[in-house]
């Protein structure tokens, strides 16, 4: 048997070591961050924290949750993620269902969608569009522009195509309409695909920061990722004119660590529930019949 | 076909509806607001753009950007309502938003603080900003004119064809850098603070080799600085002092006005000697090992950890590294002036006269109101009027009993951090006329702390106060960059490459990865690859900027 051969065992050992190293390189930065978030400010500034908190305290978390900007941004992020995922999923599944059928002009339509994957209008036209539509400063400016993603559409569409035609025909004979078939057959059968694409969209909207900064004129309307962007990037800011108070704010490394950690938690928590669909979803959706 | 028709109709209707939502702009107030007893009636609104860092304090009492103690103060006392309509978090986002606003998709705010010279130039070219020479002459209050008179070069970036398209944001010379030294290490090794390059070398050698922290391990070094972004950070973890010791007034990465001719510091005589010295020190372990990978802010950590003995920065740097006095038992930091050069003259460092400029929408007709408001903000800097102590009691200062306090933890309602005025007013920095630390100097000479500026200064840490006094006494050593104009034509295409080449060459020489002669190659290449051309262009810019006497046009002479 091949898996008992010497060569295979050596390969296996190396394989494990390599994978452990890769896993550690993902895990250790998180651990370091976690340790920092529970350490005192002086210890963090002195570079004394590695993977275990020094002078354990939860002050950074207390301060973070007391900061109404942070909690407000968190709320906006949750709203935008939920709303964005729902709207996006609705658009993509309905259009994916339609496009999985044969009809006249389908290829032309597909071509138009794929075109948007390769070329975009650029920042200025998008900005002008969103502004002139009056979406600026509303949650819709975060949700709508990215609601329809061609890549996700193709995944879902291919997934729908793998469902046997015969199922649909049988349902027709029983008197079901397109909408009933879509709801009662296609959606339940393609749960892995939906979960995968849903996770993509969710992570995408949770992490998106640039649109928030672009379309919100009030920092209190920033989603969490935009808020963090202003807070964390500032740490590497190079400005000669930096004032004393700003410099003091820069040194709040433990608070930044806490904020980053809290902001990654929701996605980490969602992941295990969707993970079981993940591999299946991608593989099935990617194979064309 | 019928369906298509319906679809099109719906789309058109939707578009119409959405477009309708967008255009509910306010009616411009037809009734002319008049200034009566220093107050506008009915109140007028000034729209502003603002770059604001979220991390610098937060709002208290449920206030917000457009409704806080200072905006309300403006309406009540001056009849001026300040409304922020364009906001960016950090510098690059803010610039992006300003550029997008230039597309004309929405109304440009009335007052635009701009912090980027090339964007300043674009705004001027776009024709959307106003020539304010007349307005300054007519409306700028006398005490502000006195300030702007002192800093004529701050107008250079906004002067074009004899027109003035903006003005510096609260011009004021920054504080100078001081040397922070571990006094306990000096005492332990029986050393004195260095005053020239040889003494400096002795001290950092001792800090590296003689185990100043007495833990029996060879884990300390002498001089901590950053070389990641440039060898002239200008604020903290700076190494300019070493270069200046050999080059005098030519500092790396900046332009020096040598009797009317602008020259570039990184290719000046003496730079090679400085690099040779740094190279020697690096190989002996006297310097921060990771200097080329650590930014100015990261490089502090070694000092704060108790591994490094000397760091250079603005006096307030003490506040950021004083944690070492908590982390390491017996640690004590003291501030000293920077050393003298090899010629015996002082060493120089970069100073800054302003952070960005104000520009104004060309349709903005209330310059008088702007100056009225701006002048009031200066009350805090002069310690007069409504803002004698600070901007708002209970926000940035408080009066407890009879005492004015700036320590937010001692407020009547204690706060985690005082609410900085940047959060409320229309600039991120507070106007100041204190220069490189005059109030600290006055205090040290026995002045009574009776206005906000002096009381605030007096409430600083002892070491920081000493640092400011040193900074003020050595204010002559501050050199603003002589070139503050927009990138020239050749600069736009090649400056980035020249800069990269400069940084790489300097770092490789210090790291001993290339011989010292690599510097000569660099100088030659720098000139050949655009440096000469850029120097010409910059001098041309300088001559043009100083040709037309706009200062007297503005009544600033």
């Amino acid at each position: 048997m091949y898996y008992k051969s010497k060569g295979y065992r050596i390969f296996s050992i190396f394989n494990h070591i390599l994978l452990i190293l890769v896993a550690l390189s993902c895990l250790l930065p998180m651990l370091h961050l976690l340790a920092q978030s529970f350490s005192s400010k002086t210890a963090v500034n002195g570079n004394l924290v590695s993977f275990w908190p020094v002078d354990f305290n939860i002050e950074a978390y207390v301060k973070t949750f007391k900061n109404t900007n942070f909690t407000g941004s968190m709320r906006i992020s949750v709203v935008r993620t939920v709303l964005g995922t729902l709207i996006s999923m609705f658009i993509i599944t309905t259009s994916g269902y339609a496009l999985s059928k044969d009809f006249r002009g389908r290829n032309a339509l597909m071509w138009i969608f794929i075109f948007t994957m390769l070329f975009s209008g650029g920042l200025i036209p998008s900005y002008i569009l969103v502004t002139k539509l009056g979406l600026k400063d509303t949650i819709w400016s975060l949700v709508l522009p990215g609601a329809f993603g061609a890549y996700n559409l193709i995944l879902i569409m291919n997934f729908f195509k793998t469902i046997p035609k015969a199922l649909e025909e049988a349902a027709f004979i029983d008197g079901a309409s397109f909408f009933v078939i879509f709801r009662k057959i296609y959606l339940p059968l393609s749960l892995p695909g939906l979960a995968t694409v849903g996770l993509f969209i969710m992570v995408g909207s949770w992490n998106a920061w640039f649109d928030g900064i672009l379309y919100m004129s009030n920092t209190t309307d920033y989603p969490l990722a935009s808020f963090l962007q202003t807070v964390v990037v500032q740490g590497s800011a190079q400005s000669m004119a930096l004032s004393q108070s700003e410099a003091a704010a820069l040194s709040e490394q433990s608070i930044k660590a806490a904020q980053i950690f809290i902001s990654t938690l929701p996605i980490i928590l969602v992941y295990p529930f969707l993970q079981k669909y993940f591999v299946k979803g991608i593989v099935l959706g990617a194979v064309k019949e | 076909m019928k369906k298509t028709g319906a679809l099109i109709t719906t789309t058109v209707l939707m578009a119409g509806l959405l477009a309708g939502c967008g255009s509910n702009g306010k009616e411009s107030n037809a009734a002319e607001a008049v200034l009566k007893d220093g107050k506008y009636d009915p109140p007028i609104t000034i729209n502003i753009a603002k770059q604001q860092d979220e991390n610098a304090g937060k709002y208290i009492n449920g206030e917000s950007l457009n409704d806080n103690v200072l905006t309300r103060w403006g309406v009540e006392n001056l009849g001026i309502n300040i409304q922020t309509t364009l906001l960016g978090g950090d510098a690059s986002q803010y610039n992006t938003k300003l550029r997008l606003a230039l597309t004309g998709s929405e109304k440009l705010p009335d007052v635009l603080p701009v912090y980027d010279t090339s964007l300043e130039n674009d705004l001027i070219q776009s024709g959307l900003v106003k020539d304010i020479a007349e307005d300054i002459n007519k409306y700028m209050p006398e005490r502000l004119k006195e300030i702007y008179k002192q800093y004529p070069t701050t107008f250079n970036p906004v002067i074009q064809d004899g027109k003035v398209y903006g003005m510096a944001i609260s011009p004021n010379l920054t504080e100078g850098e001081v040397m922070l030294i571990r006094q306990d290490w000096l005492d332990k090794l029986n050393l004195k603070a260095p005053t020239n390059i040889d003494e400096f070398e002795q001290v950092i050698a001792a800090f590296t080799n003689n185990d100043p922290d007495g833990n029996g391990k060879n884990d300390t070094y002498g001089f901590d600085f950053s070389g990641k972004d440039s060898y002239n950070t200008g604020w903290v973890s700076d190494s300019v002092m070493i270069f200046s010791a050999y080059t005098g007034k030519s500092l790396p990465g900046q332009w020096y006005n040598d009797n009317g001719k602008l020259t570039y510091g990184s290719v000046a005589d003496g730079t090679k000697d400085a690099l040779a010295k740094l190279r020697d020190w690096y190989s002996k372990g006297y310097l921060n090992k990771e200097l080329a990978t650590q930014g100015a802010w990261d490089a502090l950590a070694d000092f704060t950890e108790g591994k490094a003995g000397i760091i250079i920065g603005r006096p307030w740097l003490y506040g950021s590294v004083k944690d070492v006095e908590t982390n390491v038992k017996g640690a004590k930091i003291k501030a000293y002036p920077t050393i003298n050069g090899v010629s015996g003259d002082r060493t120089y460092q970069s100073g800054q006269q302003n952070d960005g400029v104000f520009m104004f929408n060309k349709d903005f007709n209330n310059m008088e109101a702007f100056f009225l408001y701006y002048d009031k903000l200066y009350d805090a800097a002069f310690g007069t009027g409504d803002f004698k102590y600070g901007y708002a009691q209970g926000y940035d200062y408080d009066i407890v009993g009879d005492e004015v306090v700036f320590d937010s933890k001692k407020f009547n309602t204690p706060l985690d951090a005082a609410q900085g005025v940047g959060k409320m007013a229309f600039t991120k920095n507070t106007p100041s006329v204190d220069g490189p630390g005059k109030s600290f100097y006055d205090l040290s000479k026995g002045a009574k702390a009776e206005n906000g500026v002096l009381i605030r200064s007096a409430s600083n840490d002892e070491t920081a106060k000493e640092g400011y006094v040193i900074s003020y006494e050595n204010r002559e050593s501050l050199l603003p960059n002589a070139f503050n104009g927009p990138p020239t034509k050749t600069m736009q295409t090649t400056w980035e490459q020249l800069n990269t080449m400069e940084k790489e060459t300097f770092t490789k020489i210090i790291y001993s990865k290339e011989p010292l002669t690599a510097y000569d190659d660099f100088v030659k290449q720098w000139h050949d690859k655009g440096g000469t051309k850029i120097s010409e262009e910059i001098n041309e810019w300088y001559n043009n900027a100083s040709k037309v006497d706009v200062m007297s046009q503005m009544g600033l002479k």
Side-chain angles (χ1 to χ4, degrees), chain B residues 478-500:
Chain B
L478 285 166
L479 289 179
N481 195 345
F483 173 65
N484 58 356
T488 67
K489 219 168 142 209
T490 316
M491 265 179 127
Q492 284 168 9
T493 53
T494 57
W495 191 241
E496 195 98 353
Q497 295 153 33
L498 291 179
N499 254 336
T500 311

Side-chain angles (χ1 to χ4, degrees), chain A residues 42 45-48 69 124 127 133 136 213-214 216-217 219 233-234 238 240-242 244 246-247, chain B residues 18 53-55 87 90 93 97 100 103 105-106 229 233 235 297 305 314 316 323 327 352 355 460 468:
Chain A
T42 49
N45 286 348
N47 224 359
L48 301 174
N69 277 339
I124 291 174
Y127 182 79
L133 288 177
K136 200 162 169 277
I213 282 164
L214 208 56
M216 295 298 164
S217 28
T219 38
V233 165
Q234 197 200 347
Q238 272 281 330
M240 291 195 13
L242 206 78
Q244 191 170 356
E246 284 176 84
Chain B
L18 288 168
D53 299 315
E54 267 314 289
N55 216 18
L87 183 80
D90 70 16
Q93 293 155 13
K97 290 189 97 166
L100 286 169
T103 61
S105 54
E106 62 202 304
D229 300 295
T233 71
W235 54 307
W297 194 259
E305 191 182 347
R314 307 269 184 94
W316 48 256
D323 285 338
N327 285 337
Q352 207 170 319
D355 186 21
N460 263 284
Y468 276 106

